Amino acid sequence: MTTVIAAIDDSPTAGSVLRLARTWAALLEAGLRGVHVSEGDDPGAQRAADDVGVPLEICHGDPAQAILDLAADPEVELLVLGSRRGPGGRDPAGHIAVSVLERAGVPVLVVPPEVGPVRPRVRNVVVPLEGSAPTTACMGPLLHRLHDAGVRLVALHAFAEQDVPRFRDHEGHAEESLATAFASRWCPGIPAEVRLRVGPATDATVDVADVEDADAIALGWSQDLSPGHASLVRTALSSESRPVLLVPLGT
Amino acid sequence: MPSQRRGGSLSAGADPFEAPDLWTVRIGGQPHAAALAALANGQLGVVGDVGPDGVRATFVAGAYGTGPDGMVRPLPGPTWTGVGGHGTSWQLDMRAGTLRRRNEQGRTDLERFVSIVRPTVGVLLAAGADGDAWPSPLAAPEVPRAMAADHAWTMTAETDGTFVGTVHGARDAIVAMARQRVDRTQLERVVAMDHGPDAEPEVRRALEEALELGGSALLEEHREAWARRWADADIEIAGDPRAQLAVRFALFHLLSCARTDGQSAVGARGLTGLAYAGHVFWDTDVFVLPTLAATLPDAARSVLEYRLRRLPAARARARDGGGAGARFPWESADTGEDVTPRFGRDLDGALVPITTGELSAHINADVAWAADHYVAWTGDETFVAQGGRELIVETATDWAQRVRVGADGRAHLDDVTGPDEYHERVDDDAYTNLMARWHLTRAADLTVDGDGEPGADAFRELAGALVDGRRPDGHHEEFAGFDELDDVDLGSIGPLPVAADVVLGRERTAGTKVLKQPDVLMAHHLLGDLLPHASLLADLDAELPRISHGSSLSPAICAAVLARAGRADDALALFHLAGRLDLDDLTGSTSAGLHLATMGGVWQAVVFGFAGIRPGAEELQLDPRLPSGWRSLRIQLRFRGQVVRVHIDHEHVSVATAAPVPVRLAGELVQAPFCRRMHEEAKT
C-alpha cells in the first residue's frame, strides 16, 4: 500500500489540503499521513487536523527539507500541500512550496488558497500536454492509475498560433481527426479524451478546466521555475483556484 | 523476450535494408510511424505495431458500428500483428506490398502483408530463437474511445490450434480466424477475417486454403500479384526523386484501397485510420476512382458497385426530398443513408452546426462523373447496362427538384455549399452548377425516352437554362455575390497553405474572397475541354491567388490545373506539397489515417496535369507539359482494355501498345504505338 502525505501549515488552506489528501488517498487506495513542520506557536494546523479528523504528525526543522525527507520514502506516491501567493505574482506558490516542488521526486498536488469546497470524489482531471514524448512518458503511469480509479481524463493541447494545423478538411470531422492523431502520437495508451485549442496554453487550460468541470489540472514539468521556464506551471500556480497536480519529468 | 530473438533472420539472401530505393519508405521513430506502416488490400487494413507506443489497429472494409454519440464508425477488428519486441527500424516495401522489420543485428526478422490475391487473408512471418514463446495469433481489438460502448469480443481456441475471434457490434460482426506454425526458430501466422452474419464458413475456408499453401507460397503469390499491378500502373519520374517516392507512395495506397471483386466502401482514409469515421465522401468518386479506372479497372468497378448497391437508399432520399430520381448522401457508410455528423467542434471548443449533409448537392454530380469517367477509361458497356445508366440518369433527375427558375428565366441552384466550404449556403455555386449542367447533358445522352424519366429534351433544356456565373471578362464567379466580398491578401494571413478559417475565424473568412480549395478550377479539372480553354486561363488568374489550400484536397488539383494552363514549373511546389502530405505529416493528422484523396490528386496531377492524358470519346488524349526539372516521365495505364505505356521527355513522346490505339496528341490524331519527336511527324 502506498502513502499520500498531506503537509500542512497553519494557514486557512490546511483544512482543504487535508480533505483533498484524504480524497486522493482513497482514490489511489493509499494510506494517508498528515504532517506539520512546526515553526513555533501555530495552533491552526492542529485545529485543522482535528476538524477533518486526520491524525497529525509534528516535525521540526527546515519545513521544505523536512517535507522532502518524508517524501523520499519510496512508499510515498503523492504529496499534497497548500500554496501561498506573494504580492505581484513573483512567487507563485510561496517559497516553501516552491522549494519542495522544485526538488520533490514524487507528484505534488498543490492546493491554492482560493480552492473551493472539496468534493467527495475526484471526477475530472484536465491534462495539458505540449505534445512531446518525455511529458507523455512521465505522466503515463499516474494517468493510468487515475483512469483505473474511475477518473475521467481530458488531455488538452493548445496549438500556438504558428503551429496551427495548416490544413483543416471538413468541419464535421477535423477536430476529431486531429484529436485522434494527437492521441495516437502523444498519448498512446493513455485513456484520455483529447481537446484541442488554438492560442496560449494558459487561456486554453482555464477554459477547458471550466468546461470540463475539472477537479484538478495535471501538468508534467521539469521542476524549473526560473524565469523563462514552465510558464504554464507558473500561471497555474499563481492564478488557478483548482488544485494543480505537478508531475516531475523522470519520475 | 525480444532479446531471445536477436539472432533470427527470415532469409539468407541480400538484406533489402541495405539497398533502400525509391520503392521503399523507411519507418522508425516518426510520430506518424503507425500510419506510414499501413497495409491494406481493400478488405483488410492493418496499421501500427511498429514501435513501443502500442498503437495498432485492424480495419475490415464495410464493417461499421455505432458510437455512443450515435455516429457510425468502423467496427474495430481484432489485432494479429503482435510478436513481442519492436526492432530498430521498419521498411515499407511498396514493390512487394509488405512491411519488414530489422532487428538489432541488422537482419530482417519479420515480414507481414495483407494478401491482394486473397482479400480476407493476412500473413505474418517472423524469425526468432529456439524456444521462443510466441503470443497467440489473435488479440482483442484496440477499441477507440468513440466506439467503447459498441463491441463485445470473444475468442476461443480449437483443438487444431485455430483461434476464432468475433467482434460483435450493434450493426455488424467481424469474424476472424488464425493459426500459426512454429518450426524451430520460424513463425508462420495466417489470419482470415470478414464481416457479416454469414462470414464464418467463408473465413474458415479462406484460412484453410491459405494454410494449405503455406506462408512462403502466400508471400510469393502476393509479390507476383503486386508485380503485375505495378506493371500496368507504375509511374517513373526521372530527375525528381522526391516526386518519384511520393507518386509511388500515392499509387501504392490507391492500388491497395479497393477489392477487385464485389463492392468496396472506400472511406476518406481508406483502411488506414479512424479519421473521418470510415465514411465515404466525394473523395472516393472524384479523387480516388480515376486512378483505379486507369490502372486497376476491376477495383474501380467495385468502388462504383458500392454506389450502385446504395441506389435504392438514394432513391428513398430523393423521395424524402419530395421528388423523383436519386440523391446520394454527402457521407455514406454501410446502409447508404446519410451519416454526416450534425455538429463538429472548432478549435475554440465551440460546437459548429454541420450543413454539408444538407447542402453539398454536388455529390450527385460527383458520383455520376465517376461512373462516366470509369466508362471513358474502360469502355465497360456492361456496367452501363447493369445499373450505370440508371445511376447517372436518376441522379440527374434530382436536379430538377432542386432548381428554381428565376425572374430572369434562367435556372438557379440556391442554398448549396460547393467544394469551397468557407462559404456555406450560397446560391449558384459555379462548381455545382457547371457539374450539374454536365450531368444533365450526359443524362440526356443516356436517356431512353418513354420509361418514366424526364426525357432527353427536358434534361437538355434544364442544362441550357442553368446559370454558370461566367462574367464578361471570361472568368466564372464562384457564386452569386462572390465578386463583391472583401479582397484579403492571402499573404497577410500566413504562409500557404493555411487553414484560413482557423486564423481569421469562420465568420470573417466567409465575408472574404479567401477560398479553401479550388471551386471553379475544380470544375475545369474534372470537365477539361468541355469548358472553354480561355475561361481556364481567366479563372486561374482570378481564383488561384485566393486559394488558401486549407483543404488537403487543394494543392494537387491546383498543380494539375496549372500544368494544363502551361505553367508546369509553377505547379511543382504545390505538387510536392501534396506528395509529401502524409510522408511528412504536413497536416498533423496522418496518425489518424492517410489522405487517399490527396494521393488521388497526386496521380491526377501527373496524368491529367503534366502528361495531359485523358480518356476521350474514342481516343486517348495526350498533351504533355513536363516541368523543366524532370528529365522524363513514364506512365503505365490501361485504356479500353489495352495496356498503354507512355514515355515523355523534353524532345520525344512515345506511346507503346500491343495493338493499335488512337491517340490525340496535342490535338492531332495519331495511331499508337508511335514515337514522335515533338513538332515532327510521328514515327511508327
Side-chain angles (χ1 to χ4, degrees):
Chain A
M1 191 182 196
T2 59
T3 305
V4 171
I5 289 182
I8 61 168
D9 54 17
D10 66 342
S11 73
T13 317
S16 297
V17 170
L18 289 165
R19 286 190 184 87
L20 274 163
R22 188 165 58 192
T23 305
W24 282 73
L27 180 77
L28 299 169
E29 296 179 331
L32 173 62
R33 289 174 67 186
V35 173
H36 172 61
V37 185
S38 175
E39 292 179 292
D41 183 23
D42 37 16
Q46 188 62 55
R47 205 163 42 238
D50 293 346
D51 282 353
V52 180
V54 173
L56 192 66
E57 302 168 32
I58 308 287
C59 320
H60 297 276
D62 172 64
Q65 192 55 50
I67 294 168
L68 286 166
D69 288 346
L70 288 166
D73 180 341
E75 294 297 304
V76 174
E77 186 169 14
L78 177 69
L79 187 59
V80 186
L81 50 79
S83 66
R84 296 177 185 227
R85 283 177 186 157
R90 280 198 306 276
D91 191 355
H95 71 280
I96 295 174
V98 166
S99 183
V100 171
L101 288 174
E102 288 194 322
R103 290 147 68 200
V106 295
V108 183
L109 186 71
V110 184
V111 183
E114 302 85 357
V115 70
V118 174
R119 293 162 163 171
R121 209 162 65 78
V122 183
R123 295 171 303 179
N124 305 309
V125 172
V126 166
V127 190
L129 291 172
E130 61 189 358
S132 75
T135 315
T136 303
C138 91
M139 301 289 283
L142 180 66
L143 295 181
H144 273 284
R145 288 271 283 144
L146 296 180
H147 172 74
D148 293 346
V151 176
R152 179 172 156 266
L153 301 172
V154 179
L156 160 68
H157 179 70
F159 293 101
E161 296 284 354
Q162 68 273 15
D163 297 331
V164 170
R166 301 163 83 192
F167 297 93
R168 185 167 174 80
D169 282 343
H170 186 288
E171 203 66 35
H173 295 275
E175 206 261 357
E176 179 172 306
S177 151
L178 269 180
T180 303
F182 185 85
S184 156
R185 290 174 62 153
W186 302 122
C187 25
I190 291 178
E193 297 166 34
V194 176
R195 300 284 180 270
L196 300 173
R197 292 287 187 276
V198 173
T202 48
D203 297 354
T205 301
V206 171
D207 175 37
V208 172
D210 279 347
V211 170
E212 303 298 342
D213 193 19
D215 295 288
I217 295 164
L219 288 162
W221 77 311
S222 53
Q223 295 184 287
D224 183 357
L225 269 177
S226 59
H229 294 84
S231 62
L232 182 54
V233 170
R234 178 177 288 277
T235 308
L237 290 177
S238 58
S239 58
E240 260 301 327
S241 60
R242 291 181 170 78
V244 178
L245 177 61
L246 294 180
V247 183
L249 290 177
T251 55
Chain B
M1 280 202 297
S3 59
Q4 296 173 351
R5 295 205 181 121
R6 282 177 188 162
S9 178
L10 274 178
S11 76
D15 188 337
F17 277 92
E18 296 308 314
D21 53 22
L22 295 169
W23 286 96
T24 56
V25 177
R26 284 171 174 271
I27 301 162
Q30 300 100 324
H32 57 303
L36 289 179
L39 294 170
N41 64 4
Q43 168 71 23
L44 299 181
V46 58
V47 304
D49 238 336
V50 289
D53 59 16
V55 175
R56 63 179 69 84
T58 303
F59 298 93
V60 179
Y64 291 94
T66 308
D69 56 356
M71 176 102 96
V72 177
R73 300 168 199 275
L75 189 65
T79 57
W80 56 277
T81 48
V83 289
H86 301 296
T88 52
S89 65
W90 293 75
Q91 197 178 66
L92 175 68
D93 181 342
M94 297 186 284
R95 194 194 314 253
T98 70
L99 186 79
R100 284 193 292 264
R101 182 176 81 173
R102 175 156 67 171
N103 67 12
E104 285 146 3
Q105 273 65 50
R107 297 186 184 122
T108 298
D109 71 346
L110 188 155
E111 185 159 23
R112 73 187 193 215
F113 59 96
V114 284
S115 172
I116 61 168
V117 182
R118 302 160 194 272
T120 56
V121 171
V123 178
L124 184 150
L125 306 170
D130 250 346
D132 266 351
W134 301 92
S136 72
L138 274 184
E142 297 285 325
V143 182
R145 296 187 62 81
M147 286 297 289
D150 182 24
H151 90 290
W153 162 248
T154 57
M155 187 168 74
T156 55
E158 300 178 345
T159 49
D160 65 354
T162 302
F163 285 75
V164 181
T166 55
V167 183
H168 281 284
R171 301 171 79 93
D172 204 350
I174 293 171
V175 179
M177 294 189 194
R179 205 189 305 165
Q180 59 192 17
R181 295 180 190 138
V182 178
D183 178 10
R184 286 191 58 240
T185 61
Q186 307 284 311
L187 170 76
E188 184 179 305
R189 177 181 296 170
V190 179
V191 59
M193 225 178 280
D194 206 343
H195 70 106
D198 309 318
E200 181 164 342
E202 278 302 300
V203 170
R204 192 176 290 278
R205 187 188 57 77
L207 181 75
E208 293 302 334
E209 284 182 10
L211 285 165
E212 197 169 313
L213 206 57
S216 302
L218 290 166
L219 175 60
E220 197 49 39
E221 70 171 14
H222 175 71
R223 283 170 176 272
E224 285 172 1
W226 264 111
R228 288 193 297 276
R229 239 173 230 201
W230 282 115
D232 295 351
D234 191 29
I235 289 175
E236 292 168 82
I237 300 169
D240 190 345
R242 286 175 72 232
Q244 174 67 76
L245 186 70
V247 168
R248 286 249 171 76
F249 189 63
L251 259 170
F252 176 70
H253 285 290
L254 291 164
L255 294 171
S256 298
C257 75
R259 293 181 61 135
T260 51
D261 58 354
Q263 60 167 338
S264 287
V266 180
R269 306 295 182 90
L271 299 169
T272 69
L274 288 166
Y276 289 71
H279 292 180
V280 181
F281 295 71
W282 73 317
D283 301 40
T284 304
D285 308 284
V286 162
F287 292 84
V288 171
L289 181 124
T291 310
L292 299 178
T295 61
L296 194 59
D298 291 344
R301 179 73 172 78
S302 126
V303 168
L304 289 168
E305 187 64 28
Y306 168 83
R307 291 295 192 190
L308 274 185
R309 292 187 192 182
R310 282 149 193 83
L311 197 52
R315 288 180 186 129
R317 286 193 81 233
R319 274 198 305 278
D320 291 346
R327 182 178 291 187
F328 279 102
W330 176 242
E331 297 182 30
S332 175
D334 43 6
T335 63
E337 289 160 346
D338 183 28
V339 290
T340 310
R342 297 292 173 241
F343 290 92
R345 209 179 269 279
D346 68 16
L347 287 176
D348 295 325
L351 281 179
V352 180
I354 301 302
T355 59
T356 43
E358 179 195 350
L359 302 177
S360 292
H362 64 81
I363 182 71
N364 253 18
D366 304 330
V367 173
W369 180 87
D372 187 62
H373 189 68
Y374 164 77
V375 176
W377 277 110
T378 60
D380 181 0
E381 290 300 328
T382 61
F383 167 75
V384 178
Q386 292 169 2
R389 194 195 75 83
E390 283 81 359
L391 183 139
I392 293 173
V393 172
E394 292 184 32
T395 46
T397 302
D398 187 52
W399 292 114
Q401 60 189 309
R402 287 187 180 267
V403 297
R404 166 183 64 84
V405 177
D408 55 0
R410 305 294 303 274
H412 300 267
L413 286 166
D414 294 339
D415 199 22
V416 300
T417 301
D420 162 48
E421 292 162 356
Y422 286 170
H423 302 92
E424 296 179 305
R425 310 210 89 108
V426 301
D427 296 339
D428 288 326
D429 166 63
Y431 174 82
T432 307
N433 286 25
L434 287 166
M435 290 299 289
R437 191 165 74 188
W438 165 83
H439 189 183
L440 288 160
T441 308
R442 193 73 193 97
D445 298 342
L446 292 169
T447 293
V448 183
D449 281 332
D451 60 0
E453 288 156 356
D457 291 345
F459 280 137
R460 287 207 177 85
E461 193 180 331
L462 194 53
L466 263 177
V467 300
D468 64 4
R470 187 104 191 259
R471 292 288 167 262
D473 68 357
H475 90 283
H476 294 84
E477 188 180 24
E478 275 71 9
F479 53 83
F482 178 86
D483 286 349
E484 279 75 56
L485 294 177
D486 284 356
D487 228 342
V488 172
D489 175 19
L490 271 180
S492 70
I493 303 174
L496 300 187
V498 60
D501 55 338
V502 178
V503 177
L504 294 181
R506 288 160 44 81
E507 265 186 47
R508 171 71 186 122
T509 308
T512 72
K513 289 181 183 171
V514 175
L515 297 161
K516 181 180 183 180
Q517 66 196 83
D519 186 282
V520 178
L521 293 176
M522 189 69 203
H524 279 288
H525 176 68
L526 294 187
L527 300 180
D529 291 346
L530 297 177
L531 296 180
H533 191 69
S535 76
L536 168 64
L537 300 179
D539 286 326
L540 200 54
D541 286 345
E543 189 169 84
L544 188 64
R546 302 200 164 104
I547 296 176
S548 70
H549 306 295
S551 163
S552 65
L553 306 182
S554 181
I557 300 305
C558 289
V561 176
L562 274 167
R564 292 324 308 138
R567 295 165 58 186
D569 286 347
D570 294 343
L572 215 46
L574 287 168
F575 176 74
H576 278 131
L577 183 66
R580 302 301 302 186
L581 193 96
D582 283 317
L583 286 167
D584 295 340
D585 193 12
L586 301 179
T587 67
S589 69
T590 292
S591 301
L594 302 171
H595 295 72
L596 276 189
T598 306
M599 293 173 164
V602 165
W603 183 88
Q604 291 179 35
V606 174
V607 174
F608 296 176
F610 297 124
I613 295 175
R614 307 282 293 221
E618 301 296 333
E619 78 292 353
L620 190 68
Q621 298 168 358
L622 173 59
D623 190 6
R625 304 271 192 277
L626 214 56
S628 53
W630 290 11
R631 288 199 305 278
S632 67
L633 173 62
R634 187 188 298 272
I635 293 172
Q636 265 80 227
L637 45 78
R638 286 176 164 273
F639 177 66
R640 310 277 164 95
Q642 291 267 355
V643 175
V644 178
R645 305 182 194 284
V646 180
H647 184 268
I648 301 161
D649 62 27
H650 292 282
E651 292 180 350
H652 298 88
V653 177
S654 66
V655 177
T657 55
V661 170
V663 174
R664 189 168 298 280
L665 176 61
E668 185 188 342
L669 201 59
V670 190
Q671 199 78 354
F674 65 81
C675 174
R676 184 176 174 126
R677 198 175 170 86
M678 290 305 279
H679 313 298
E680 279 188 2
E681 292 304 307
K683 297 170 186 167
T684 53

